Amino acid sequence: MRPIMDVSRWQGNIDWDNVKASGLVSGVMLRALGNSAKDAPSKPYIDPTFERNYRECQRLGIPCGVYYYCKAVNTEEADAELALLRKVLTGKTVQLPVAVDIEDKYVQAPLDKQTLTDIAAHALDTVERWGFYAMLYTGLYFGRDNLYMTGAALKPYDVWLAAYRSKKPEPGWPFGLWQYTSKGKIPGVVDAIPGKISGVDLSVPYKDYAKIIAKKGLTRLREGK
């Protein structure tokens, strides 16, 4: 299956017609929320390219999902992030998962494993209750060292695993999406900040997410949830 790419404001103004015409990707994960820099407390913001990227994917029939950068260190901060995510997702249709990105080495890594695992599970459960296919994004080593990846709290959720290498990783827990490079080259995607970003993230999907999500009706926010 063709890779899935993920994009954010770091990819700037994408030529989506070119992306579609290339036929090189099977879908796109769009960053919905960014967050504060380095060791600053969680202060989520709507990615400035999200609305345009979403509209373009819908116009061209490119399957898309979303992810948001979680920096929460307690459930109160998690709920504040989720409230903004809910606002962003209201009225939108997605064909791919909604991912909670847990990887912050400055504010989250110092937490004990159980605390961060509980925060991740809380966020994933909320996204799932909203009516989406919830997915955890994390790095190979971050997940190993900072989350109970095989514990009961996270076991129900699919994983999008980041590990930049040529051979499929074997972390000891299942994952459905493998982000294998940050240096992918896709026509229509250029560096927003030359010298800072050397390409675009690409991931191998091991499931037909669009088919699964369509069949289960997990494409839109459920009213009242």
Side-chain angles (χ1 to χ4, degrees), residues 173-203:
W173 63 79
F175 57 95
L177 195 57
W178 168 33
Q179 187 183 78
Y180 64 93
T181 185
S182 61
K183 298 180 179 181
K185 300 297 183 183
I186 301 296
V189 183
V190 296
D191 300 347
I193 305 177
K196 294 285 186 180
I197 304 295
S198 57
V200 66
D201 297 338
L202 295 176
S203 300

Side-chain angles (χ1 to χ4, degrees), residues 20-34:
K20 173 74 172 183
S22 77
L24 295 178
V25 297
S26 62
V28 186
M29 293 293 285
L30 308 173
R31 188 173 76 162
L33 306 182

